[in-house]
């Protein structure tokens, strides 16, 4: 394995354990580097915890016997008690169990947006970078134009559309329609960064000999992109997926907070804050907790992205 | 260079036209048709009346025909009237845009003053405790939901401590009773919380960016050359390092202005600050589609022009970039 001497000057010296060890696979190097990034490891634990809560929301509801939609008008703005750990909201629903279900919806939307925007970004970027010429300049014009738009106002306009006036949307069940709409709206404006990134990487790689070899051996363009190019550009893509999850959580929360996103009674962190906004004078805690959860999960995804960047970037690998 | 600017201008205009068409079509898909609402409110209105009225106003025509009619008016300076305010669009929009400009410019200036010195300062001490702490704060700054930060600032400073007002642009009902200086002071007081909200994200982002660019620049060969020929360290840092590192930072600042401008929508809404962003949001909710359309397109156009300006500035400042 070739030694890489272009270690960044500001990195701490390689740990002794790494120096002594036998040649490792790239994956093991990456993992051991990720574990050196303490914040990234903590973030990974936090994210796993939240994902666990999201997956087992029904189990938690069943085990505690609390229904997220059960109202109790006699017990509005209830205090923190052994039954309602975080009290109750304006119609007497348990705040904790709604946060649990909110975690499920918010994470699901963000992960769906991140994965599908990556697929679109990779397709656009790879096609533009690989084929070049007119396709490239057309796709990049579209990407640049979308990137230049004022994101928040455009998202507000898109999200205000009445879905019952769009024919295709009648096929979706009414409970999940605002979730589908949210994913589609966020997706429209989140693939461009990945698109640009992938195009840049493909442009840099496509002149290399192994691509030429693949071409001369008669591989189809599709096969070259899928089998030769994509595996070599996964590093920045993985990092950007992580960061997109974080930003999608923020945008979903912002739109739901404005009342344009996922509609109640389906709880998300954003629309819980929308309800809480009107009562910050009487019940400020209802506004505090969902926001702290958003901050924790988004900062975790950002730290993880940062750690992955360090761990996967061959220029930063210390051996 | 001129050819490049002209090409980019044409491109921007095409984007604005496409954007205005798409948003025009989307507005037609929003809930609540003003005529339907008016008809429901009037017991004498029959469905036939409604059809007649729609025909008379040209609302039965396909969307592109209506769009071109609207565009024609827009281009000739006839923006029409707002349905809810019952005033010409320009009478409402211009003061709102000026308010947003106050908010954005103040945040921008504040962010520059805080972020760039901090970024440079921390880049000269990489991997120290200060660097790590600042990095943590910067990460928190880019991860915090701005509307939640706004709510927290209101709870702490307006509800609990009662230092700053929670909303609005000025205290209502004081006209004529206080001096000009007090009016200005009152407006500044109303700006504090929104500006803090709006600046935090920008500061966090720019600190990280300035630090990264500064570290990158300090590794170039010309820095080594400058040191080798015996220049004092301060000269190496500020004349050779900082000046080169600032090139990309200046572009990011120019881009930052447009992102502050569009991010202001959320901040203005939470603080009930009467700016252009809140106007877009409110008019959509009030089914005031002409108002929403005009304020959205004009705001977008301003943002696109600022982005174009950022690109041109970058090409101008950095001779390594070619204008093709």
């Amino acid at each position: 394995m070739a030694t890489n001497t272009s270690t960044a000057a500001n990195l701490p010296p390689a740990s002794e354990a790494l120096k002594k060890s036998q040649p490792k696979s790239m994956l093991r190097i990456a993992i051991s580097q990720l574990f050196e990034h303490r914040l990234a490891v903590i973030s990974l634990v936090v994210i796993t915890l939240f994902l666990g809560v999201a997956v087992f929301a029904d189990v938690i509801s069943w085990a505690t016997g609390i229904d997220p939609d059960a109202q109790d008008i006699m017990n509005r703005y209830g205090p923190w008690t052994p039954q309602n750990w975080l009290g109750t909201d304006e119609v007497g629903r348990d705040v904790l169990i709604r946060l649990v279900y909110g975690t499920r919806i918010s994470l699901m939307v963000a992960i769906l947006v991140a994965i599908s925007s990556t697929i679109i970004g990779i397709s656009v970027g790879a096609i533009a970078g690989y084929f070049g010429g007119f396709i490239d300049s057309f796709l990049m014009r579209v990407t640049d134009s979308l990137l230049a738009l004022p994101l928040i106002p455009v998202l507000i306009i898109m999200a205000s559309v009445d879905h019952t006036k769009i024919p295709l949307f009648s096929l979706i069940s009414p409970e999940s329609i605002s979730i589908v709409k949210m994913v589609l709206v966020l997706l429209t404006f989140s693939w461009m960064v990945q698109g640009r990134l992938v195009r840049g990487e493909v442009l840099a790689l496509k002149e290399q000999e192994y691509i030429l070899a693949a071409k001369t051996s008669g591989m189809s363009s599709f096969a070259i992109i899928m089998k030769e190019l994509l595996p070599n550009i996964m590093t920045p893509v993985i990092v950007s997926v992580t960061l997109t999850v974080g930003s999608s959580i923020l945008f979903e929360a912002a739109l739901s907070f404005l009342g344009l996103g996922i509609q109640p009674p389906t709880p998300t962190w954003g629309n819980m804050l929308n309800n809480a906004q009107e009562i910050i004078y009487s019940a400020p805690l209802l506004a505090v907790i969902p926001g702290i959860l958003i901050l924790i999960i988004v900062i975790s995804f950002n730290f993880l992205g940062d750690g992955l960047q360090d761990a996967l970037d061959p220029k930063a690998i210390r051996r | 260079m001129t050819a490049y600017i002209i090409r980019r201008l044409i491109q921007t205009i095409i984007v604005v036209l496409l954007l205005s068409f798409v948003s025009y079509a989307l507005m037609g898909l929003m809930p609540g048709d003003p005529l339907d609402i008016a008809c429901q409110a009037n017991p004498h209105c029959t469905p036939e009346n409604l059809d007649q009225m729609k025909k008379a106003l040209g609302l039965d025509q396909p969307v592109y025909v209506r769009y071109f009619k609207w565009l024609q008016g827009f281009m000739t300076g006839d923006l029409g009237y707002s349905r809810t305010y019952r005033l010409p669009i320009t009478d409402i929009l211009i003061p709102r845009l000026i308010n947003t400009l106050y908010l954005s410019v103040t945040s921008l200036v504040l962010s520059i003053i805080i972020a760039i010195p901090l970024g440079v300062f921390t880049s000269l001490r990489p991997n120290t405790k200060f660097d790590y702490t600042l990095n943590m704060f910067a990460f928190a700054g880019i991860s915090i939901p701005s509307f939640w930060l706004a709510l927290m600032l209101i709870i702490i400073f307006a509800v609990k401590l009662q230092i700053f007002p929670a909303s609005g642009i000025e205290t209502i009902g004081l006209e004529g009773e206080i001096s000009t200086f007090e009016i200005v002071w009152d407006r500044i007081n109303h700006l504090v919380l929104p500006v803090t909200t709006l600046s935090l994200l920008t500061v966090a982002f720019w600190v990280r960016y300035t630090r990264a660019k500064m570290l990158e620049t300090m590794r170039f060969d010309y820095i080594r050359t400058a040191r080798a020929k015996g220049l004092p360290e301060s000269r190496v840092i500020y004349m050779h390092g900082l000046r080169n590192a600032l090139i990309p930072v200046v572009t990011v600042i120019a881009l930052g202005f447009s992102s502050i401008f569009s991010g202001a929508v959320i901040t203005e809404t939470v603080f009930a600050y009467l700016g252009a962003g809140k106007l877009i949001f409110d008019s959509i909710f009030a089914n005031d589609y002409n108002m929403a359309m005009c304020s959205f397109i004009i705001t977008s156009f301003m943002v696109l022009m600022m982005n174009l300006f950022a690109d041109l500035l970058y090409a101008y400042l950095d001779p390594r970039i070619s204008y093709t």
Side-chain angles (χ1 to χ4, degrees), chain B residues 106-119 134 137-139 141-142 195-211 256 259-260:
Chain B
T106 320
S107 313
L108 187 81
V109 173
L110 192 74
S111 308
I112 295 172
I113 295 174
I114 298 173
I116 295 192
L118 261 184
L134 191 66
F137 273 104
F139 263 100
I142 53 175
V195 165
T196 313
T197 311
L198 213 46
S199 309
L200 192 82
L201 174 85
T202 338
V203 168
F205 183 67
W206 288 352
V207 164
R208 274 171 58 77
Y209 194 77
T210 313
R211 177 185 178 275
S259 75
I260 286 178

Side-chain angles (χ1 to χ4, degrees), chain B residues 26-236:
Chain B
L26 286 178
M27 298 245 175
L29 293 173
M30 283 178 192
D33 184 326
L35 268 185
D36 289 345
I37 297 169
C39 192
Q40 275 160 12
N42 185 347
H44 300 297
C45 177
T46 60
E48 289 80 47
N49 292 147
L50 190 63
D51 282 344
Q52 261 174 359
M53 249 156 47
K54 285 194 173 170
K55 209 163 242 162
L57 291 167
L59 289 173
D60 54 337
Q61 282 161 334
V63 64
Y64 61 90
V65 177
R66 285 183 283 138
Y67 169 71
F68 277 111
K69 233 179 222 166
W70 176 85
L71 187 68
Q72 225 171 19
F74 189 82
M75 287 301 188
T76 49
D78 173 23
L79 301 193
Y81 281 79
S82 152
R83 194 180 72 86
T84 43
Y85 295 91
R86 312 222 170 248
L87 284 169
I89 296 286
T90 35
D91 286 10
I92 304 160
L93 185 56
I94 290 171
R96 294 294 195 105
L97 275 173
I98 293 173
N99 282 343
T100 299
L101 224 52
Y102 282 142
L103 183 64
S104 317
V105 172
T106 320
S107 313
L108 187 81
V109 173
L110 192 74
S111 308
I112 295 172
I113 295 174
I114 298 173
I116 295 192
L118 261 184
V120 174
F121 184 80
T122 193
S123 75
L124 300 176
R125 312 165 170 65
N127 303 316
T128 55
K129 259 214 180 89
F130 177 82
D131 191 32
Y132 282 130
T133 319
L134 191 66
N135 195 32
M136 285 286 287
F137 273 104
F139 263 100
I142 53 175
S143 308
I144 202 164
S146 62
F147 57 92
W148 181 72
L149 176 69
L151 284 181
M152 292 303 105
L153 290 176
I154 291 177
I155 289 178
I156 296 169
F157 292 102
V159 179
K160 299 276 183 231
L161 301 176
Q162 307 203 331
I163 306 175
F164 297 112
S167 61
I169 51 165
E170 58 196 345
T171 313
I172 297 165
L174 290 180
E175 293 90 0
E177 287 177 31
I178 51 175
S179 65
T180 320
F181 174 75
E182 281 170 313
I183 292 174
V184 172
W185 182 244
D186 182 50
R187 290 205 115 197
I188 291 175
N189 259 324
H190 279 85
L191 270 176
V192 175
L193 297 184
V195 165
T196 313
T197 311
L198 213 46
S199 309
L200 192 82
L201 174 85
T202 338
V203 168
F205 183 67
W206 288 352
V207 164
R208 274 171 58 77
Y209 194 77
T210 313
R211 177 185 178 275
K213 284 295 154 193
M214 195 64 191
L215 281 175
E216 192 185 309
T217 312
M218 292 307 277
R219 271 186 240 129
F220 277 115
D221 285 344
Y222 57 76
I223 297 291
R224 199 177 304 171
T225 312
R227 284 207 177 107
K229 67 185 186 187
L231 288 181
E233 189 62 19
S234 65
R235 214 181 145 75
V236 174

